Amino acid sequence: VSVVGGFNRWDGRVHPMRRHPSSGIWEIFVPEIGAGELYKFELIGSDGHLLPLKSDPWARRCELAPGTACIVHEARHVWADDEWMRRRPYDVDAPMSVYEVHSGSWRRDETGAPLSYTDLAEHLVPYVRDMGFTHVELMPMTEYPFEGSWGYQPIGLFAPTARHGAPDDFRVLVDTFHDAGIGVILDWVPAHFPRDEHGLVRFDGTQLYEHADARRADHPDWGTLAFNYGRAEVGNYLLSSALFWINEFHLDALRVDAVASMLYLDYSRKEGEWIPNRHGGNEDLEAVDLLRRVNTAVHAAGGRTIAEESTAWPAVSRPVDHGGLGFSQKWNMGWMNDTLSYMSEDPVHRVHHQGALTFSLLYAWDENFILPLSHDEVVHGKGSLLGRMPGDEWQRFANLRAYYGYMFAHPGKKLLFMGAEIAQYQEWSHERGVEWHLLEYPVHSGVQTLVRDLNRLHREHPALGHRDTDPAGFAWSSCDDAAASVIAMLRFGRDPLDVVIAVSNFTPVPRHAYRVGVPAAGLWRELLNTDAECYSGSGTGNGGSVETDDLPVGGFEHSLTLTVPPLATIYLEHQRNNGGPDAGQA
């Protein structure tokens, strides 16, 4: 092994490295090498053949693609987020609303190029704060060669991508988010790596990071290679990467991509294409051990982890010492699939699919769930969220507003992908920015205003954002009125007097004199109405408040007689003699 670079004219004969027989580590000290020098490794395999030049797997900075060299880096950023870091451990009961961002296409500059890290700090941070999101989730920023992978085929697991600037510029971006009171989540990809010859593939001429057997090595879905989690060096490499981002870049959480593909040996494989574990099962026991190690270490460092896991694997977000995988939270993919399928139905057919709205409450407290409407739902021909809504133009926007109202009332933290908050027409493409010009039109700016108001209510009202993992924080008022396609959910804060009812009507027919049971007598004030005129709705509503009747309904001693607008969700809060205007009344 030799280190090569401009300092030795890329000649592997000049700086051969020394191997320590006891550890297998190769090292060299090259004097007068400063920040900014390009370098790679030159390796000669055990068979005597010269291998392609390799990038440093531990590089702190990489050359801008299509360049593949590493860059000597010295961090100089002085952090200003001490107070944030002192209170970073996350309260699972706290409100959490996530804005998912692809940094290369959130917005483009006047030349059509992606924004730099410093530009994102200037423009993205105030936007996320203004919209009321508590967190931003950045799609993978670890260095990657293929633009079309969106970062999900990484090579530099210790280097922020050079597409937006230097590593210290990325530190500035994180620091700026923290100063604005916004947590930062990074998509982290330990499931696989690409076959680019300058990367990890056959690093020393043998299968060093990957398995030797193709039945374990090949990742059938993406044409990539799976890590060999059973090798201590590989496990330590991935664990070190996770801690590096938490400690060195002050990230608050890692969203771990494609966890299901790590957990199952037969993931996307047919019979005969996979090797059972030592017990004869299909679980990848080595991957399970690694995930538990990573989760334990990240939590000890003050961060947290979020699993993108789409199966029924038990206890994903339960502690390791209780038999779980140890993740802090898990994406609720079942909720996402069921509800998007329901919303794509013509309202006349929704009578037959009421269970798609209610089934998720049967398992809502099995995990610490996040409700994701992520980038995966607006690509590859699926269309935008608005495009999946049925009906004419008015009904499509009304459907989407009603859906967001239902989502923010449902137990679980929230996640929206960029563009969804303005009801973008086109499905997402990494080659263009969000369609910001649409905000010139009231129907789009109305959806944006609604999302801003939903985020505010989610943060400010204890019943809506503080008991997402506690079954005592939820009750059905009505879930079985399939004929009207109406559901009514009750959310409770820790104070028994903090009660909100959310009523959703998923038909274009207004429901007048609709009666729902409530747990408290008195005045109920309308907090939000997705059909309000300020959201470009029709303005149908309840005049701001409704008094209860002493008529039992649905097991409750009191009830409300409501006007439930067409294709709308309304929130009403039990009044505690603290009146005053709130969002989107009609």
Side-chain angles (χ1 to χ4, degrees), residues 348-355 482:
V348 73
H349 300 305
R350 288 175 179 168
V351 61
H352 306 296
H353 302 279
Q354 184 88 345

Side-chain angles (χ1 to χ4, degrees), residues 184-217:
V184 183
I185 304 166
L186 178 69
D187 278 14
W188 183 65
V189 188
H192 62 136
F193 59 90
R195 298 172 183 265
D196 297 69
E197 64 176 16
H198 69 280
L200 301 179
V201 60
R202 294 184 63 88
F203 194 83
D204 67 346
T206 68
Q207 289 85 3
L208 201 62
Y209 286 86
E210 67 270 37
H211 289 273
D213 192 318
R215 291 174 295 176
R216 295 291 304 275

Side-chain angles (χ1 to χ4, degrees), residues 43-163:
L43 297 92
I44 298 175
S46 57
D47 59 2
H49 285 90
L50 184 66
L51 300 172
L53 292 181
K54 292 290 187 178
S55 296
D56 182 359
W58 300 81
R60 302 307 199 258
R61 184 177 179 183
C62 295
E63 195 179 14
L64 180 64
T68 58
C70 306
I71 303 175
V72 176
H73 174 67
E74 179 183 359
R76 297 181 181 273
H77 177 70
V78 178
W79 289 96
D81 62 348
D82 290 352
E83 179 60 31
W84 177 276
M85 296 296 286
R86 277 193 291 270
R87 57 185 175 85
R88 185 168 66 169
Y90 173 68
D91 178 6
V92 74
D93 236 7
M96 181 179 182
S97 179
V98 184
Y99 187 57
E100 186 191 22
V101 172
H102 177 257
S103 57
S105 60
W106 178 73
R107 192 186 296 274
R108 301 286 180 133
D109 67 18
E110 59 276 4
T111 70
L115 299 184
S116 67
Y117 290 126
T118 51
D119 288 337
L120 289 167
E122 181 181 351
H123 299 289
L124 176 60
V125 173
Y127 179 76
V128 175
R129 179 174 55 187
D130 173 68
M131 289 300 298
F133 291 97
T134 64
H135 291 75
V136 66
E137 180 177 321
L138 303 174
M139 290 167 64
M141 307 297 282
T142 47
E143 194 58 79
Y144 58 98
F146 175 47
E147 197 71 35
S149 77
W150 314 327
Y152 289 102
Q153 295 183 12
I155 280 182
L157 285 178
F158 291 78
T161 178
R163 289 166 174 81

Side-chain angles (χ1 to χ4, degrees), residues 22 80-81 163 200 252-253 354 403 417-418 457 472 490 498 537 547 571:
S22 62
D81 62 348
R163 289 166 174 81
L200 301 179
D252 301 290
Q354 184 88 345
Y403 182 41
F417 182 57
M418 63 183 201
L457 293 175
L490 286 161
D498 286 330
E547 285 274 1
Y571 294 178

Side-chain angles (χ1 to χ4, degrees), residues 208-360:
L208 201 62
Y209 286 86
E210 67 270 37
H211 289 273
D213 192 318
R215 291 174 295 176
R216 295 291 304 275
D218 292 341
H219 220 303
D221 280 357
W222 301 298
T224 52
L225 294 167
F227 284 100
N228 183 352
Y229 304 113
R231 292 200 67 169
E233 300 90 341
V234 174
N236 288 339
Y237 173 72
L238 294 170
L239 174 60
S240 297
S241 171
L243 290 174
F244 180 79
W245 293 99
I246 297 295
N247 293 328
E248 295 296 323
F249 285 92
H250 290 200
L251 297 178
D252 301 290
L254 300 176
R255 179 268 196 184
V256 184
D257 182 63
V259 171
S261 76
M262 299 174 65
L263 293 175
Y264 297 98
L265 295 167
D266 59 347
Y267 183 85
S268 288
R269 298 180 188 275
K270 300 175 183 176
E271 187 174 351
E273 296 179 349
W274 59 281
I275 307 171
N277 63 33
R278 60 180 179 270
H279 304 300
N282 68 338
E283 303 90 356
D284 191 328
L285 303 178
E286 296 158 346
V288 170
D289 288 343
L290 173 66
L291 288 172
R292 286 173 170 163
R293 286 178 62 204
V294 168
N295 291 330
T296 300
V298 168
H299 287 144
R304 54 195 162 109
T305 54
I306 302 164
E308 186 213 16
E309 203 285 313
S310 55
T311 74
W313 188 284
V316 171
S317 59
R318 294 294 179 260
V320 170
D321 56 7
H322 285 67
L325 286 182
F327 284 93
S328 314
Q329 294 163 297
K330 172 183 172 176
W331 277 17
N332 193 338
M333 311 292 278
W335 171 88
M336 177 268 297
N337 286 320
D338 287 347
T339 59
L340 283 178
S341 173
Y342 177 88
M343 294 305 300
S344 68
E345 295 283 348
D346 188 289
V348 73
H349 300 305
R350 288 175 179 168
V351 61
H352 306 296
H353 302 279
Q354 184 88 345
L357 289 178
T358 60
F359 178 68
S360 55

